[in-house]
Amino acid sequence: MTCMSMKLLEGERALVTGCAGGIGRGVAKALKAEGATVLGSDIAAPPSEDGIDFLAADLAKPDGWRALLEGALERLGSISLFVHAASPRRLESDTPLTVSEDTWDAMTGINLRSGFFLAREIGRHMRDGKIKGRILLITSQHRETPRNLPHYSAAKAGMTMAMKELARVLAPDGIRVNAIAPGAIPGGGFVAGNLGELVAQIPLGRAGTPDDVAQVAVAILSERFGRYVVGTTVEVDGGLGLISWIPAHA
């Protein structure tokens, strides 16, 4: 029997946003471990021990995504994998009746505006270069269920539809666009004062980790496991989506 020693993403060139921590950091490390050349981006650099090549970018700024794309293409030469995991930290106090315009703009600007335009222009780059690339957006369970954080839920819902729109137009060129919707993954932007109560409701009995999401990302992005997956949102939530309980706060 021949041993398949080839790594799943050998030879791929990847750009990962939100790489300084949480899910983005986990995904960047996993792609690198599977043989991809990875360029991570965030406001702050990831820990040096990760060995992730880094390019700083502020995706809350109107032209932040454009500067990142130009810099990434200069560094990588071409992009065959793009993962958008960047998202601001969300605070439980930013409820429908209290969230500010600045907080709304930062959340939707980084998640939806920058995510869409980066994905679209990278998709064009892939199409023009005849690269059968893959694009992955990190959304949330709360793209469909209220979280009492309207700016976050709205941004993730918009990302989900943007993913589907891009998937339809890019699939004929062999470019696959998908999303992952994580459940309770502490770290990064996730902060919950009632985490213990939430975990008690998860069918698998534990909160998730960035690596739980990262391993699914690797599978979707690989041509060995994900080659027929297009326009799909994959839930990585330990079964949380199977229950109706939703954490509430004032």
Side-chain angles (χ1 to χ4, degrees):
M1 181 180 292
T2 302
C3 178
M4 297 183 68
S5 60
M6 177 72 73
K7 293 182 177 180
L8 287 172
L9 302 174
E10 199 77 47
E12 305 288 355
R13 295 177 179 269
L15 173 63
V16 179
T17 66
C19 78
I23 291 171
R25 180 187 177 196
V27 170
K29 291 168 63 177
L31 300 192
K32 181 179 173 64
E34 286 295 341
T37 297
V38 178
L39 177 64
S41 179
D42 211 315
I43 294 290
S48 58
E49 63 266 22
D50 290 351
I52 302 296
D53 194 15
F54 176 73
L55 179 63
D58 185 353
L59 296 181
K61 294 181 177 179
D63 285 335
W65 70 267
R66 197 184 308 274
L68 171 58
L69 179 57
E70 292 173 356
L73 287 173
E74 183 177 344
R75 294 271 284 273
L76 291 171
S78 66
I79 298 171
S80 59
L81 305 176
F82 171 56
V83 181
H84 185 55
S87 184
R89 182 173 293 274
R90 50 202 184 274
L91 302 177
E92 301 295 322
S93 57
D94 291 324
T95 69
L97 299 183
T98 62
V99 65
S100 69
E101 291 182 56
D102 287 345
T103 299
W104 179 283
D105 289 345
M107 182 65 74
T108 57
I110 292 173
N111 277 279
L112 180 54
R113 186 180 189 279
S114 290
F116 172 73
F117 286 114
L118 277 167
R120 186 185 73 178
E121 297 308 311
I122 289 172
R124 282 179 169 164
H125 160 78
M126 292 171 175
R127 183 192 61 189
D128 294 346
K130 301 189 184 310
I131 300 168
K132 295 191 182 302
R134 282 82 78 199
I135 294 169
L136 185 64
L137 306 183
I138 305 300
T139 62
S140 170
Q141 282 194 323
H142 301 295
R143 73 197 187 280
E144 295 180 341
T145 58
R147 174 70 168 85
N148 210 28
L149 300 173
H151 55 318
Y152 179 72
S153 297
K156 296 303 188 180
M159 289 174 71
T160 300
M161 190 53 64
M163 175 275 290
K164 292 182 178 182
E165 295 279 9
L166 289 170
R168 287 189 66 183
V169 299
L170 293 173
D173 294 296
I175 300 164
R176 297 191 292 104
V177 186
N178 291 287
I180 287 178
I185 314 289
F190 180 84
V191 180
N194 53 3
L195 182 60
E197 184 182 356
L198 175 59
V199 168
Q201 303 295 320
I202 297 173
L204 275 185
R206 67 173 178 87
T209 68
D211 192 59
D212 290 328
V213 179
Q215 295 308 314
V216 176
V218 167
I220 294 171
L221 292 168
S222 75
E223 287 297 276
R224 187 182 304 173
F225 299 116
R227 62 181 177 268
Y228 205 57
V229 181
V230 178
T232 296
T233 297
V234 178
E235 302 271 357
V236 183
D237 64 0
L240 184 59
L242 298 173
I243 64 174
S244 60
W245 186 86
I246 298 172
H249 47 275

